Amino acid sequence: MSPMSTTLRRAGVVAALSTAGVLTAAGAAFAHVTVHPESYPKGATDGVLTFRVPNEEDTASTTKVQVFLPTDHPVLGVLVTPQAGWTAKVTTTRLKKPIKTDDGTITDAVSEITWTGGRIRHGEFQDFDVAFGQLPDDTDRLAFKTLQTYSDGKVVRWIEETPKGGEEPESPAPLLSLTRESAGGADSGEGSSSASSSAPASESTAKASTASDKSSDSTARGLGVAGLVVGVLGLLAAGFALVRGRNARS
């Protein structure tokens, strides 16, 4: 094999490995447990949260999912949607500070939901739907810490909270942003609740899905640019090595 062919082959291998590393890192980022939609207005009522659980293991299945709901800013009126093949166990906790509503004073709230009995195999994911009566209006976001148990006994702890404006941790907890109502509406709380109540749950889900698709498109474009940059760097390295080899022979 000529020196030129050897140099180009080595540069190609380096570029391919670098590109594979970028794509592998991106794939790992998409494998987190997440909540959808990613945001709701503060104090929103009568909505649905979907917890998406992908399987990360090649040789084991997910057999248990535990989602912990915050009790310092409780989610009221939680109901679990029946999931074929799975059994849900709902745990409630007495609140340190009762919450007064139009329907009376609430002293207990759901603190944990555990799904067992089913299997999420390699290359699959499962959506778990949870309906709520009302979200809190006194915080900007809710973190739902989650434990994912595999058939081989491994437990992945999705419990790290992403700092505001900071980088996402290695095992982030599913995060729901609570926003103020858009321009033309009231501040938060009652105005947001009315807006949320008047809009069908399906419409809210569709809007959230559109936002998620836009985010995915942006991520895909970013990965495409990263791949092109890696390829160009590989070609530049090959050219540099080729010129260097010619100079050495001269």
Side-chain angles (χ1 to χ4, degrees):
M1 185 178 294
S2 65
M4 181 185 298
S5 299
T6 302
T7 301
L8 292 176
R9 182 179 179 183
R10 290 176 178 175
V13 171
V14 171
L17 291 176
S18 300
T19 303
V22 171
L23 296 178
T24 299
F30 287 127
H32 299 337
V33 175
T34 52
V35 61
H36 303 274
E38 296 179 351
S39 66
Y40 258 113
K42 291 183 177 181
T45 58
D46 301 328
V48 175
L49 297 174
T50 299
F51 295 93
R52 178 161 295 175
V53 183
N55 188 85
E56 291 186 314
E57 295 294 315
D58 295 333
T59 59
S61 301
T62 297
T63 57
K64 182 179 180 181
V65 177
Q66 297 168 268
V67 175
F68 297 88
L69 284 68
T71 55
D72 51 347
H73 303 287
V75 179
L76 305 180
V78 171
L79 295 173
V80 179
T81 301
Q83 194 74 42
W86 295 85
T87 300
K89 177 183 178 182
V90 178
T91 302
T92 59
T93 299
R94 181 167 294 276
L95 300 176
K96 294 181 179 180
K97 183 179 179 180
I99 299 176
K100 294 182 179 180
T101 68
D102 294 338
D103 297 325
T105 301
I106 297 178
T107 59
D108 299 88
V110 174
S111 58
E112 178 186 346
I113 304 174
T114 301
W115 286 274
T116 56
R119 283 183 176 271
I120 309 173
R121 295 174 174 79
H122 173 65
E124 300 178 346
F125 71 89
Q126 181 70 60
D127 283 345
F128 298 94
D129 293 336
V130 176
F132 63 83
Q134 183 174 346
L135 295 176
D137 59 6
D138 57 351
T139 185
D140 294 330
R141 59 182 187 172
L142 296 175
F144 298 94
K145 297 182 179 181
T146 303
L147 301 184
Q148 181 178 8
T149 302
Y150 287 91
S151 55
D152 59 1
K154 179 181 178 180
V155 178
V156 179
R157 301 168 63 84
W158 304 103
I159 61 173
E160 298 179 74
E161 297 191 31
T162 305
K164 292 183 178 180
E167 295 183 359
E168 186 179 71
E170 183 178 352
S171 300
L175 190 65
L176 176 70
S177 297
L178 298 180
T179 63
R180 296 181 182 277
E181 193 177 11
S182 59
D187 198 3
S188 62
E190 185 176 344
S192 297
S193 299
S194 300
S196 177
S197 298
S198 60
S202 58
E203 181 180 348
S204 300
T205 303
K207 291 180 179 179
S209 177
T210 300
S212 178
D213 290 342
K214 290 181 179 179
S215 177
S216 298
D217 291 342
S218 298
T219 302
R221 287 194 294 270
L223 290 176
V225 172
L228 289 175
V229 171
V230 171
V232 170
L233 291 177
L235 292 176
L236 289 176
F240 176 77
L242 181 60
V243 172
R244 184 178 179 184
R246 287 179 176 176
N247 291 337
R249 288 194 298 274
S250 298

